[in-house]
Amino acid sequence: MVDYHAANNLNQQYPSGGPPSYMEQENDWDRDLLLDPAWEKQQRKTFTAWCNSHLRKAGTQIDNIEEDFRDGLKLMLLLEVISGERLPKPERGKMRVHKINNVNKALDFIGNKGVKLVSIGAEEIVDGNVKMTLGMIWTIILRFAIQDISVEETSAKEGLLLWCQRKTAPYKNVNVQNFHISWKDGLAFNALIHRHRPELIDYDKLRKDDPVTNLNNAFEVAEKYLDIPKMLDAEDIVGTLRPDEKAIMTYVSCFYHAFSGAQKAETAANRICKVLAVNQENEHLMEDYEKLASDLLEWIRRTIPWLENRAPEKTMAEMQQKLEDFRDYRRVHKPPKVQEKCQLEINFNTLQTKLRLSNRPAFMPSEGRMVWRGLRRADTHALLCKEAMLTQKDYETASLSEVKALLRKHEAFESDLAAHQDRVEQIAAIAQELNELDYYDSPSVNARCQKICDQWDILGSLTQSRRESLERTEKQLESIDELYLEFAKRAAPFNNWMEGAMEDLQDMFIVHNIEEIQGLITAHEQFKSTLPEANKEREAIQAIQAEVQKIAQYNGIKLAGNNPYTSITPQSIDSKWEKVQKLVPQRDQALQEELTRQQSNDHLRRQFANQANIIGPWIQNKMEEIGRISIEMNGTLEDQLTHLRQYEQSIIEYKPNIEKLEGDHQLIQEALIFDNKYTPYTMEHLRVGWEQLLTTIARTINEIENQILTRDAKGISQEQLHEYRTSFNHFDKDHSGVLQAEEFKACLISLGYDVENDKQGDAEFTRIMGIVDPNNSGAVTFQAFIDFMSRETTDTDTADQVIASFKILAGDKNYITAEELRRELPPDQAEYCIARMAPYAGPDAIPGALDYMSFSTALYGESDL
């Protein structure tokens, strides 16, 4: 038979690997090294609480499950508490070897209990390996808390599941089929508590759509009234797609043990009450028999002397009176006494039967109070009633428990019938005696006697026939019951597997590359390979139900109701199997469509990467070449400018490649592709690089143009510019294109400036930095360096010189007129000055006078125009 439980436990790995393999095993802890963090959290919490529920009996506890068991001391103590046995004396040393020896003693003890430890070694526990520690604790829980659970021939996990199903069956909205999803809404926990302690839970007020409240209610009640510690948080269960099965099983096993102990006490009390009730009823019957027999015997003692009186009466009237008295006796007095005598015999026989069935000694009436036989009459009516009862075929539509009850009732009837054997024999003996005495009505007596004997024989034959029918039906129903139980045992895990498979086959999957989708396809193919074996199991399960129908049909048994051990029907199994069969090709199609999409995406990635891997290095090379051009200064500034503009044109001509790459990137974005293993370059990275390249070439061209303007304006020779560039490059150690403050200071010192580290030198350096770095950036550009050096080495126009020039044109006046400006300056420059000069406001002003002084100072930034 296939182990479907193993398949159900693999769902935690499926989201990245496909439906679970049909043949994987449940207790393989190596597989759980990839434990989901949410499940690991639930296991930590539950296993820690479970361990502490036992360790507190020894006056201790653990706080961190992977740390507190590392030395093996509390692990050995835990095993002693839960097993009731003594383990070898632990080693108290602090060295690693002592800890390993202690853990090995604990693991050896577990192994001696018939538990196979898979991939769990002492070194992993001592090293605090959380996965192995959780695996070891789960093994201990299975062995000592779950393995010994037994419910109707099922044990361990299946036994616990069957117990939960039985206990929660009457509750609405509760359908326990597993140890994960079935418990998520909290109703199953509350139903278990209410079934055993209804006064603790108001079940009707619980709502299925409020799982957190339901779970908290059950956990708090269990902790407060049942001494079951809180092992999980409601939010952990509700917030997980599928709660951890091991954590739920551990928690539920605590409920089982809590209620099974109370149930044992209740069963013991019920047994005592039942025994006492039987005993009290028997004593009551004995008392009734004694009283009725005493009253009847007293009447007999009074009546027999009157009947035996044969003294002749003296007169006719006295004789007639005596005859009338005898008639009254037969009509009035004797019938009720005969009825009492019959009731007395019935009570006696019933009492003896009950005593025999309850293994009590037979009842012996008090001296002289045996059943009166003096006034016996055979009663054939009772025999006829019993015949009718024996010919019933009520067992044909009865259940197994009802047939067993009928069989017990029939055994009681047989015992009662055996008790009446003496009465029949006495009737025959009386008839024989009457024949020997030549009784006048012997033929009538013989006929009645024969009728009674014939009816008695028929009764015996019917009794035997009914017993055989009941026993035969019981055997057939037991076979059917065994088949029902086998069906339930195999249908439950198979049904869980199908539900898990359907859920997995309908799960949405999100993949990002070909490797991931190929992994899903491989896992799906592995799952499909298990379907033939699964179908064999389904056919085997359906064959069990077919055998039930065959037995019932062949023996004329009318089956009452459904399988008592499970709510799963053959129809539901076939329905779910058909759904699995439909979902498999749908999953095939979805996976193939996704594979095609990923192949297309991969093509887009490669297409983009091929271009990006060319453009990225090209931009980098161009940036480096521009840097070299700006530093090396090959040829005149005009030559450099021409070279740079040609270089700029070649860069601009490369733009179609960038635009094509943008198009490829647009396709990637539309396909929702967010990664590309074929290139380190992203479109954003390349855009920034391209923009930096354009900016750098433009800035470099502008710098050369400014250098030309500076050269022409200041009269600096090409040789001087080359010398400035050489000095600048010499001190630009990191080739960043700017001089840091210390680099600039070293350059100034090399040029003969007194900026050494003294008070006067520092002041001079601060002044110069204020000129070349007015924004206080801490760095000096080559252009600022040229401006400074040209200012220091060439004749420069100043605001005062310009004012003096304007004063000459104005004829030594403090103002100038528009006419004078147009006469002395070129037209465009004259109009420029007229448009920008403010009216002169001095005491010697005339109409149209212009202020050339403020205009001149504004040109050099010394005051606002």
Side-chain angles (χ1 to χ4, degrees), residues 489-504:
K489 286 181 179 179
R490 298 177 71 168
F494 185 73
N495 183 70
N496 289 341
W497 175 83
M498 286 196 297
E499 288 181 348
M502 287 189 295
E503 181 179 341
D504 294 334

Side-chain angles (χ1 to χ4, degrees), residues 19 101 113 145 159 417 425 686 766 774 816 828 854:
N101 289 341
K113 293 298 180 181
L417 197 65
E425 292 175 355
L686 294 174
T766 301
I816 193 169
D828 58 336
S854 60

